[in-house]
């Protein structure tokens, strides 16, 4: 633990001799190649160093059922999956993930860091695939039962930069990285996804923080910590404020 650092939420006493940390649900969103995995691992380490209990998870694939659904959803050999079928597979993954992983972790007072959540469905199936938003929102609500992240970090960067990063990452480590059905989509698809995300951020400014993901990882991390410091009591101050973009559209 960093000397003098305090947990994100100081533990509170329940009055029955127990000590509880307040839970927090943080999701990470962004187009391909935004660097979510790297930043999540760094933030996780930082939060743990501050004395918090965390859980790192992802969608699709954060639970046993989801692990299998993930292979079906992302494998290029699946070819074209009908839009509705794709949607319901993502939502089945979410419903099970919430029940099996997210809710129990929040009930145990953990800080849950989730790689992708419902905003991905609106950005990819809605804006990317062109599904109508009203029924999509209803379907999402059915799957998530209204469970919303407390904070969402949207790691934003130009589509071309993200795709270049994703390609070089895939070339660098062919064993670890899976080339997914989504990587193979036309560039217009990825532009629609990014614009969809930025619209969501404009609609939910209190929840979604747009972070400039073209910067080096340490600066992106500082920006995330700065958002937490502003929005949550008890977080130590940082000087990463300049990385929080104020050009939400
Ligand atoms: P993943 O390899 O996790 O992508 P990344 O590393 O970019 O996060 O693959 C997840 C893919 O699934 C990603 O392309 C986005 C897509 N997706 C949807 O289309 N809808 C959803 O609801 C979710 C959760 C993900």
């Amino acid at each position: 633990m960093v000397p003098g650092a305090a947990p994100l939420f100081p533990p509170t006493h329940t009055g029955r001799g127990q000590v509880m940390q307040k839970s927090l649900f943080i999701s990470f969103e962004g187009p391909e190649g935004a660097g979510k995995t790297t930043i999540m691992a760094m933030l996780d380490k930082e939060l743990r160093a501050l004395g918090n209990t965390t859980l790192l998870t992802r969608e699709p694939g954060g639970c046993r059922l989801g692990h299998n659904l993930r292979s079906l959803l992302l494998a290029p050999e699946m070819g074209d999956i009908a839009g509705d079928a794709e949607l319901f597979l993502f939502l089945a993954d979410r419903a099970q993930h919430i029940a099996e992983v997210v809710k129990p972790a929040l009930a145990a007072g953990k800080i849950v860091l989730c790689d992708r959540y419902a905003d991905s469905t609106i950005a990819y199936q809605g804006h990317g695939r062109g599904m109508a938003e009203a029924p999509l929102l209803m379907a999402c609500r059915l799957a998530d039962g209204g469970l919303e992240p407390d904070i969402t970090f949207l790691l934003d960067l130009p589509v071309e930069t993200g795709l270049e990063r994703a390609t070089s990452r895939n070339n660098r480590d062919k064993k670890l990285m899976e080339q997914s059905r989504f990587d193979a989509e036309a560039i217009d698809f990825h532009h629609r996804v990014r614009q969809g995300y930025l619209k969501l951020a404009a609609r939910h400014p209190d929840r979604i923080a747009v972070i400039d993901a073209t910067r080096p990882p340490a600066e992106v991390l500082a920006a995330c910590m700065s958002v937490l410091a502003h929005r949550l009591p008890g977080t130590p101050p940082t000087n990463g404020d300049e990385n929080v973009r104020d050009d939400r559209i």
Side-chain angles (χ1 to χ4, degrees):
M1 180 147 164
V2 179
L8 191 53
F9 290 114
T12 52
H13 292 270
T14 62
R16 278 169 286 158
Q18 294 160 303
V19 176
M20 277 185 61
Q21 177 194 269
K22 195 175 177 300
S23 64
L24 188 68
F25 184 18
I26 307 177
S27 64
F28 293 78
E29 298 282 356
E32 310 301 314
K36 290 182 285 89
T37 312
T38 305
I39 299 305
M40 285 180 68
M42 291 168 77
L43 186 63
D44 181 52
K45 199 172 161 203
E46 188 92 357
L47 292 174
R48 282 171 187 264
L50 290 169
N52 298 284
T53 314
T54 60
L55 176 92
L56 266 180
T57 187
R58 70 172 176 181
E59 292 191 1
C63 58
R64 198 144 38 112
L65 175 69
H67 182 75
N68 290 302
L69 292 175
R70 181 181 173 90
S71 315
L72 296 174
L73 276 162
L74 302 188
E77 57 272 23
M78 281 295 145
D80 280 343
I81 299 180
D84 290 347
E86 181 181 87
L87 170 68
F88 287 122
L89 290 172
F90 278 117
L91 296 185
D93 166 75
R94 182 157 312 135
Q96 184 66 26
H97 182 227
I98 289 172
E100 192 177 317
V101 177
V102 178
K103 275 193 173 164
L106 293 175
K110 294 184 183 172
I111 297 178
V112 174
L113 306 173
C114 188
D115 188 345
R116 298 195 181 279
Y117 191 66
D119 295 318
S120 279
T121 314
I122 306 301
Y124 281 79
Q125 278 63 55
H127 292 267
R129 299 267 189 248
M131 298 184 84
E133 194 168 281
L136 202 52
L137 286 170
M138 279 169 58
C140 282
R141 184 67 194 252
L142 202 62
D144 66 29
L147 179 70
E148 272 208 344
D150 297 296
I151 293 180
T152 297
F153 289 116
L154 169 53
L155 304 191
D156 181 53
L157 79 178
V159 166
E160 291 78 5
T161 314
L163 290 176
E164 267 167 35
R165 277 191 192 173
T167 308
S168 56
R169 178 190 66 188
N170 288 346
N171 290 341
R172 222 177 25 243
D173 206 338
K174 289 201 165 63
K175 270 194 210 127
L176 275 182
M177 303 312 301
E178 20 182 10
Q179 181 79 17
S180 90
R181 284 192 312 117
F182 292 91
D183 293 327
E185 286 292 339
I187 191 134
D188 281 0
F189 174 89
H190 296 287
H191 279 292
R192 288 196 299 277
V193 168
R194 183 185 182 204
Q195 291 311 316
Y197 270 133
L198 292 173
K199 279 188 186 157
L200 280 167
R203 201 186 294 163
H204 303 286
D206 292 342
R207 174 174 64 84
I208 304 181
V210 184
I211 309 283
D212 179 354
T214 60
R215 291 171 178 258
E219 290 181 25
V220 176
L221 173 69
C224 294
M225 287 302 286
S226 165
V227 170
L228 291 177
H230 280 116
R231 298 191 185 193
L232 307 169
T235 328
T238 68
N239 49 16
D241 297 11
E242 67 277 9
N243 299 331
V244 182
R245 287 168 47 153
D246 53 9
D247 60 345
R248 297 175 184 139
I249 58 169

